[in-house]
Amino acid sequence: MELLYAASVGILVSCGVFLILRSRTFPVVLGLTMLSYAVNLFLFSSGRLSLNSAVVLGHSSEYADPLPQAFVLTAIVIGFAMTAFVVILAIRGRADLGNDHVNGQVPENKVKR
Amino acid sequence: MTLLWIPLLSLIGSIISSMTGKLTRNQSTSLSLLMPFIALCITISFAPAVFSGEEVRETISWIPLLGINIAFRLDGLALLFVFMIITIGILVIFYARYYLSSKDSMPKLYSYLMLFMTAMLGIVMSNNVIQLWFFWELTSISSFLLISYWWYKSEARKGAIMALTITGGGGLALLAGLLIISNIVGSYSLDVILASRELIQSHNLYEVALILVLLGAFTKSAQFPFHFWLPHAMAAPTPVSAYLHSATMVKAGIFLLARFYPALAGTDIWFIIVSLTGMTTLLFGAYVALFKHDLKGLLAYSTISHLGLITLLFGLNTELATVAAIFHIINHATFKASLFMATGIIDHETGTRDMRKINGMWRYMPYTATLAMVAAASMAGVPLLNGFLSKEMFFAETLHQQLLGSMSWIIPVLATIAGAFSVAYSARFIHDVFFNGDPIDLPKEPSEPPRYMRVPIEILVALCLLVGIFPNFIVDDILTSASFAVLGGYVPEFKVSLWHGFNLPLLMSAFAVTGGLFMYTQRRHLFTFQASLPPLNAKKAFDNSIYVMIKWCQRKIGAIENGSLQRYLMLMFLIVLLGAGWPLFEMHELVGTKELTPVSMHSAVGAALLMIGAISTVIWYRTRMVSLLMISVVGLMVSVAFTRFSAPDLALTQLTVEVVTIVLLMLALFFLPQRSPKESSSMRIIRDISISAGLGIVVGSICYALITRPFESISNFFIANAKTGGGGTNVVNVILVDFRGFDTLGEICVLGIAALGISKLLINLPLFMPGSDSEGRPWARERYPILLASISQSLLPLALLVSVYIFLRGHNLPGGGFIAGLITAIAFILQYIAHGSNWISERLTINYRKIIASGLAIALLTGVGSWFFGRPFMTTWFDYFDIPFIGNIELASALVFDLGVYITVVGATLMILAHLGELTANAPKEEVNI
């Protein structure tokens, strides 16, 4: 199971980084979202994986680590705030600059669609 | 506390003067004089104690753990400087009242002058080297403001920048030197440093520290080859020059030599650097001064030369030379300040400072001329004046050293030559300006200045005479106590007196005077000779070197920073890849010792879905809608993963956030192109795939290595105390609202700020509003499908009920403010989608900003509330109550905090989405080709 989990995190990181390296804003936003999934899963896993042991007192005999969970919960919400901000920034950038290239201008030698 | 008041009063004075713009000139001046005057009285009250050998100290603890304190001390040396700084400051302020024209802003000058005074007082009184350095840099900055006082003049701006660059750069060197010294002795306290002479001088970093400290001192006191900023600083108003270049700014460098003399001096390297620099500066300044046609230029180089003289005296490593140096500090301050002020009067009355035009002033202003001539005679070292006494001591000391072995005789010879030059330029100052025929083409008809403008000069010249005639009577105490401080508690037998009998120093003086006068009479030849030399333009060289440096930096920056964010990101990822990947190679075994969990069928399918979703997002990334759908699969699977691995709160949060995110991204996609063009070259695709694959492998491996290793968690504390301390059984929620409630408070602040930022970003947004989708198909005419509208409307109360339930149970079961807030937000967003924002705003006017603010306020006030019970910020309280019909119920202050979280989340989420949604409803429909 651990291997599968780690592989999933790795794949998410790869896909996220690849998308972040694209030249248009929307894929970059998707990439950031993907990378934040990966980061959340990674942080969460620092409490190790445990099955059927939710940290609600009295509901199970052993408990998972609650601290990474609390941190990741915060991270998810902040990640949402960040994604929202970035995507609105992308809209604003498109509106002000006339294109959605991350550098603010479409390179000369590239054909504009 | 009284010691602290000396710089503090001057600072208060600076603030007061800056506010006197509406007052008359006289009122403004008197008000400005008040604070320094009180400071002077305080200083005088300390004088008897200091003269009797006491050192007054005051320390206010600031960051005691780092050894950083606000510490002041007043010993003889500091007292001497404080006296000079305040007295000459008062005279300069008084003088400036008459010097400034009605166009110039008086409050500005006074305010800057007193800021500068504060900085100087801070330097001389600091007992902590970091604090000393802080004031040191403050003098650089305030002198920048003073020199650029006439900011509209190009040379004033350039002079100010040059002074700031040189002295500021020296300041950085000084900081480095002071840090090394503090490191050697293990304290920032000046007391400790001054007492650790052996420790510092035996350390192998002594030379480095010494050179760095000397760099600071030499740049500030305009020693060769850093002297060139000083003549350019003459673009300042004359009162400023009189203050900066007689008693303060340049003397700060000298002060530093004197202050650190007990700790750093006495070695060969000190002698070589300090005395050679001083000697070069002395000769160079005296020589150049003779050829300056500008009155202030002459005084500037003369100042450089005298500073060289003082430096040379410190470099001679003898006790009497040090006494002579301190004596000359006093004398130079008095005669140079009065000369600058006299120059200001001449400039003021004639409209020029060119000595080739100003001649025969004796007839127009005999009174001023007399004063200026006495001061100039003192500068030349004529008997009965204070300049003579210290010069005589200087000559005597050059004779009493054996530092250069058999070539030691060269020092007195060079000193005599420099003395001759200083007589020559003083003679030129007197003869050229006040006699030598008639004035030529003066812009103004000269006359005596206003009566009171001469008062400061009269006081200073009187001092020159008094010290010159009754030296023991006037300066004995202060000179003794200052020397006592510099020499580290020991004063040699010395006697300052007018007449030492016929001896070698007197002969040297006689040589200097006759030689100087002879030189002056033969000046025509010298001027021709000087004119034939290649011009040496320090300003041009300075400008060029700055230009070259800036060009170099720009090239380097251009090479790294080409404006492509894509490239920066790529480089950063590369660095991460290398930094995170490298340690993996040093690890022996990737798999840890923890027992692995068996793979179940569900998990395998879930992981496969997640991976397929992620890879599909990448494959179809140019068809944005498709990739958005694919990434939503990933988000969903992440929340499933949280469920699987015992994190129900996370799963709920992830699920609700996912819904909001996807709705938001879909809405955003409406304003963005539907497709990404094909832009990247194949090479770039390969490069990006390699980087991302590499990072994925590295992060995956680290993750695997991490989760297969056993560990000790600190979480047992939270599990053990959640019920008893926080009153809840859902430990994650108790951590969020109780144990680490401060984190949560910060987090909802971030959320609120992001929402506010977004609403600002959307103001006046010029929109691309496509009339159709990317395939050219028009949007559906039915914007709000009736089915969705009716279902969503009936769902709303239900959804709200669910969110209340989730909220209330949060403390004990999965749920809480975050999740409930998101559910409420989603319920409302569904209404927006189904009915459009116009429909909503007809029925409901909500100011989301106020909602966010009230949510934050509730959370914050809950935290503050615990103060009223004498507990630290955000201590929670809970208890159980028996309420009829409902039963036993727990009430906790954490619930109120969670309510704040809930309200903030609702407000922020709706603000983000509703604002964006409103744009589609209100913006005019126009066809834009994309």
Side-chain angles (χ1 to χ4, degrees):
Chain A
M1 188 88 89
E2 274 80 3
L3 189 63
L4 207 57
Y5 189 93
S8 308
V9 172
I11 297 258
L12 285 183
V13 169
S14 290
C15 295
V17 170
F18 183 80
L19 287 174
I20 289 174
L21 288 172
R22 297 304 93 213
S23 59
R24 300 295 169 145
T25 49
F26 195 75
V28 173
V29 175
L30 291 188
L32 281 171
T33 313
M34 189 94 86
L35 196 62
S36 62
Y37 292 150
V39 170
N40 288 342
L41 284 176
F42 183 92
L43 286 181
F44 170 68
S45 73
S46 69
R48 308 301 184 268
L49 305 180
S50 41
L51 303 174
N52 304 322
S53 49
V55 220
V56 179
L57 299 180
H59 282 244
S60 56
S61 52
E62 55 180 320
Y63 299 116
D65 196 342
L67 198 57
Q69 294 193 15
F71 285 152
V72 170
L73 202 151
T74 316
I76 292 174
V77 180
I78 289 199
F80 162 68
M82 185 206 65
T83 309
F85 191 84
V86 170
V87 80
I88 303 294
L89 201 62
I91 293 175
R92 182 85 212 189
R94 163 108 196 281
D96 287 350
L97 301 167
N99 66 69
D100 66 338
H101 198 283
V102 284
N103 294 348
Q105 55 190 25
V106 181
E108 293 296 322
N109 54 352
K110 302 279 163 58
V111 184
K112 198 179 169 189
R113 204 183 72 95
Chain B
M1 274 304 284
T2 29
L3 207 53
L4 181 70
W5 277 106
I6 298 175
L8 205 58
L9 278 170
S10 147
L11 185 65
I12 294 170
S14 168
I15 296 165
I16 290 179
S17 325
S18 67
M19 295 187 294
T20 56
K22 296 244 170 67
L23 305 179
T24 64
R25 288 160 80 90
N26 281 339
Q27 285 168 335
S28 173
T29 310
S30 352
L31 209 58
S32 303
L33 284 172
L34 186 66
M35 290 298 153
F37 189 75
I38 299 174
L40 185 65
C41 293
I42 295 177
T43 314
I44 290 172
S45 74
F46 280 111
V50 175
F51 287 158
S52 67
E54 201 183 312
E55 287 175 9
V56 189
R57 285 190 178 76
E58 254 172 42
T59 307
I60 302 166
S61 210
W62 184 17
I63 314 176
L65 281 177
L66 291 176
I68 296 176
N69 301 315
I70 300 175
F72 288 100
R73 63 179 246 164
L74 193 73
D75 58 4
L77 182 70
L79 183 74
L80 165 67
F81 271 89
V82 172
F83 262 138
M84 286 201 319
I85 292 161
I86 299 180
T87 323
I88 298 193
I90 289 174
L91 296 178
V92 164
I93 290 171
F94 189 78
Y95 173 82
R97 147 79 185 84
Y98 297 95
Y99 178 85
L100 286 186
S101 76
S102 51
K103 283 181 306 211
D104 299 322
S105 162
M106 198 175 259
K108 188 171 127 181
L109 184 78
Y110 284 167
S111 174
Y112 289 170
L113 269 176
M114 271 192 267
L115 181 68
F116 183 81
M117 189 190 279
T118 313
M120 279 306 298
L121 291 171
I123 290 182
V124 300
M125 289 170 62
S126 284
N127 195 14
N128 175 302
V129 287
I130 301 295
Q131 183 192 336
L132 186 151
W133 179 79
F134 166 78
F135 284 114
W136 181 273
E137 290 299 51
L138 193 58
T139 59
S140 295
I141 293 165
S142 48
S143 67
F144 172 83
L145 293 172
L146 282 168
I147 296 168
S148 62
Y149 175 75
W150 285 320
W151 50 271
Y152 42 85
K153 291 184 179 173
S154 155
E155 75 259 26
R157 293 196 302 269
K158 283 185 182 154
I161 289 172
M162 197 187 274
L164 183 66
T165 314
I166 303 292
T167 57
L172 290 182
L174 174 66
L175 176 64
L178 291 178
L179 288 179
I180 293 177
I181 294 175
S182 323
N183 206 22
I184 294 174
V185 303
S187 167
Y188 292 119
S189 164
L190 202 57
D191 286 332
V192 180
I193 290 173
L194 295 186
S196 320
R197 178 197 168 101
E198 277 79 29
L199 186 65
I200 295 171
Q201 296 195 355
S202 60
H203 199 274
N204 50 11
L205 277 177
Y206 163 68
E207 281 84 6
V208 182
L210 176 67
I211 289 170
L212 287 170
V213 171
L214 288 180
L215 264 178
F218 289 167
T219 47
K220 202 75 157 186
S221 58
Q223 297 296 302
F224 185 85
F226 307 110
H227 63 280
F228 55 88
W229 68 263
L230 199 149
H232 288 285
M234 291 297 143
T238 304
V240 173
S241 309
Y243 197 39
L244 260 55
H245 304 136
S246 65
T248 55
M249 170 91 161
V250 292
K251 289 284 168 63
I254 301 292
F255 171 80
L256 199 70
L257 291 181
R259 180 85 291 171
F260 284 94
Y261 190 88
L264 297 177
T267 54
D268 286 344
I269 179 168
W270 167 280
F271 157 70
I272 290 171
I273 299 177
V274 177
S275 67
L276 283 187
T277 309
M279 182 54 101
T280 320
T281 312
L282 166 65
L283 277 169
F284 175 82
Y287 175 76
V288 176
L290 181 57
F291 302 102
K292 289 286 151 188
H293 299 301
D294 177 13
L295 264 176
K296 277 177 85 178
L298 186 150
L299 290 181
Y301 277 96
S302 141
T303 302
I304 293 173
S305 150
H306 280 275
L307 293 168
L309 189 154
I310 299 170
T311 307
L312 172 59
L313 279 170
F314 276 117
L316 288 178
N317 272 345
T318 66
E319 284 144 1
L320 280 171
T322 311
V323 178
I326 295 165
F327 192 29
H328 200 67
I329 290 173
I330 308 173
N331 297 337
H332 177 250
T334 46
F335 68 68
K336 197 46 72 63
S338 53
L339 278 173
F340 268 116
M341 289 179 188
T343 306
I345 290 179
I346 294 164
D347 182 11
H348 198 252
E349 295 301 317
T350 62
T352 176
R353 299 193 313 236
D354 191 333
M355 275 187 279
R356 286 166 297 191
K357 291 182 181 170
I358 311 169
N359 297 315
M361 283 300 123
W362 174 257
R363 263 171 294 145
Y364 299 96
M365 41 176 96
Y367 199 78
T368 311
T370 315
L371 292 171
M373 286 187 320
V374 174
S378 175
M379 173 164 78
V382 170
L384 292 183
L385 292 162
N386 58 356
F388 170 74
L389 296 174
S390 47
K391 189 161 278 189
E392 204 74 347
M393 284 169 85
F394 165 58
F395 283 154
E397 283 318 303
T398 56
L399 291 168
H400 291 152
Q401 46 76 34
Q402 301 295 330
L403 293 159
L404 293 179
S406 63
M407 294 300 281
S408 298
W409 59 269
I410 204 158
I411 294 181
V413 170
L414 289 175
T416 315
I417 294 173
F421 272 112
S422 92
V423 170
Y425 66 67
S426 304
R428 181 167 184 222
F429 186 92
I430 295 171
H431 182 252
D432 231 1
V433 173
F434 299 110
F435 306 101
N436 202 17
D438 293 315
I440 305 157
D441 289 342
L442 286 186
K444 274 159 91 174
E445 178 68 21
S447 66
E448 281 286 357
R451 171 69 193 92
Y452 291 106
M453 194 171 178
R454 286 195 310 257
V455 170
I457 312 181
E458 284 163 359
I459 294 172
L460 288 167
V461 167
L463 268 175
C464 288
L465 277 163
L466 283 172
V467 174
I469 299 168
F470 309 106
N472 291 322
F473 189 64
I474 310 280
V475 293
D476 206 29
D477 275 343
I478 194 151
L479 192 54
T480 312
S481 69
S483 309
F484 185 80
V486 174
L487 293 171
Y490 165 77
V491 188
E493 276 294 309
F494 72 91
K495 189 154 173 59
V496 186
S497 62
L498 202 49
W499 181 249
H500 287 281
F502 288 103
N503 55 10
L504 212 48
L506 192 68
L507 192 67
M508 286 163 75
S509 272
F511 266 124
V513 172
T514 44
L517 290 176
F518 177 73
M519 228 186 277
Y520 180 65
T521 53
Q522 302 300 316
R523 63 188 183 282
R524 244 169 269 285
H525 305 291
L526 272 169
F527 275 64
T528 344
F529 169 72
Q530 177 68 12
S532 68
L533 289 177
L536 204 143
N537 195 336
K539 182 164 169 284
K540 221 172 189 170
F542 176 81
D543 284 350
N544 274 342
S545 57
I546 293 284
Y547 178 78
V548 168
M549 236 150 71
I550 289 175
K551 276 279 149 204
W552 184 82
C553 289
Q554 274 172 347
R555 260 206 317 280
K556 293 290 160 206
I557 290 170
I560 303 165
E561 212 182 299
N562 63 353
S564 167
L565 297 180
Q566 243 182 319
R567 207 170 86 109
Y568 305 159
L569 272 173
M570 188 271 287
L571 289 174
M572 281 189 240
F573 279 131
L574 261 184
I575 292 168
V576 173
L577 181 60
L578 293 177
W582 187 250
L584 281 177
F585 288 101
E586 294 174 353
M587 221 159 89
H588 294 296
E589 189 74 55
L590 192 62
V591 193
T593 53
K594 192 171 176 287
E595 198 183 331
L596 299 185
T597 332
V599 183
S600 67
M601 191 59 199
H602 318 77
S603 313
V605 172
L609 271 173
L610 183 124
M611 291 179 196
I612 292 169
I615 294 169
S616 313
T617 312
V618 171
I619 292 176
W620 281 294
Y621 84 90
R622 287 194 286 113
T623 323
R624 295 180 174 180
M625 193 64 197
V626 178
S627 73
L628 184 56
L629 291 177
M630 289 300 141
I631 206 172
S632 69
V633 174
V634 180
L636 207 60
M637 290 327 291
V638 171
S639 75
V640 172
F642 286 140
T643 322
R644 175 82 181 139
F645 298 112
S646 322
D649 285 279
L650 286 191
L652 281 170
T653 315
Q654 177 66 45
L655 193 66
T656 43
V657 162
E658 192 56 31
V659 173
V660 181
T661 310
I662 298 300
V663 170
L664 175 73
L665 288 182
M666 252 180 180
L667 205 51
L669 200 52
F670 181 67
F671 299 102
L672 289 167
Q674 307 297 305
R675 286 168 172 280
S676 303
K678 196 169 182 153
E679 272 182 323
S680 310
S681 62
S682 309
M683 275 311 287
R684 174 163 283 194
I685 296 276
I686 292 173
R687 186 195 75 187
D688 291 351
I689 287 180
S690 331
I691 294 178
S692 45
L695 262 174
I697 290 168
V698 166
V699 176
S701 308
I702 295 175
C703 184
Y704 188 58
L706 181 77
I707 57 181
T708 52
R709 279 170 167 73
F711 80 121
E712 275 294 313
S713 173
I714 58 167
S715 297
N716 289 332
F717 170 81
F718 298 115
I719 294 171
N721 288 293
K723 182 70 184 165
T724 49
T729 52
N730 181 5
V731 182
V732 176
N733 184 271
V734 175
I735 291 178
L736 282 174
V737 296
D738 190 339
F739 291 123
R740 303 197 60 92
F742 204 57
D743 286 358
T744 309
L745 184 64
E747 181 206 351
I748 55 175
C749 286
V750 171
L751 198 63
I753 291 166
L756 280 180
I758 286 168
S759 77
K760 289 291 163 205
L761 274 176
L762 290 173
I763 290 172
N764 294 333
L765 183 72
L767 280 174
F768 288 80
M769 295 281 288
S772 60
D773 73 357
S774 56
E775 309 293 319
R777 291 177 293 238
W779 301 120
R781 223 172 286 159
E782 186 61 60
R783 293 182 74 180
Y784 307 113
I786 187 94
L787 201 60
L788 179 63
S790 46
I791 291 178
S792 69
Q793 221 168 325
S794 47
L795 267 179
L796 179 65
L798 206 59
L800 291 180
L801 198 64
V802 170
S803 75
V804 170
Y805 170 67
I806 291 276
F807 173 77
L808 284 178
R809 74 174 211 164
H811 217 45
N812 292 314
L813 289 166
F818 276 120
I819 300 162
L822 286 163
I823 292 175
T824 310
I826 292 169
F828 275 100
I829 289 164
L830 195 61
Q831 307 306 311
Y832 273 101
I833 295 173
H835 299 284
S837 55
N838 287 340
W839 188 86
I840 303 271
S841 56
E842 278 165 21
R843 282 157 185 79
L844 200 62
T845 38
I846 314 170
N847 185 341
Y848 295 119
R849 230 171 290 174
K850 278 188 186 151
I851 294 191
I852 297 177
S854 54
L856 284 176
I858 290 173
L860 192 67
L861 288 177
T862 320
V864 170
S866 49
W867 282 344
F868 294 103
F869 300 96
R871 297 296 178 83
F873 185 58
M874 302 205 76
T875 313
T876 50
W877 162 91
F878 69 93
D879 209 343
Y880 300 89
F881 297 91
D882 247 331
I883 294 174
F885 306 113
I886 298 175
N888 194 330
I889 195 171
E890 180 199 347
L891 287 177
S893 68
L895 200 68
V896 185
F897 179 76
D898 219 13
L899 182 69
V901 174
Y902 169 83
I903 294 175
T904 314
V905 170
V906 172
T909 315
L910 283 179
M911 185 159 168
I912 294 167
L913 280 147
H915 267 82
L916 192 60
E918 270 165 25
L919 290 174
T920 56
N922 299 336
K925 277 238 159 182
E926 52 178 320
E927 297 258 344
V928 179
N929 285 329
I930 48 162

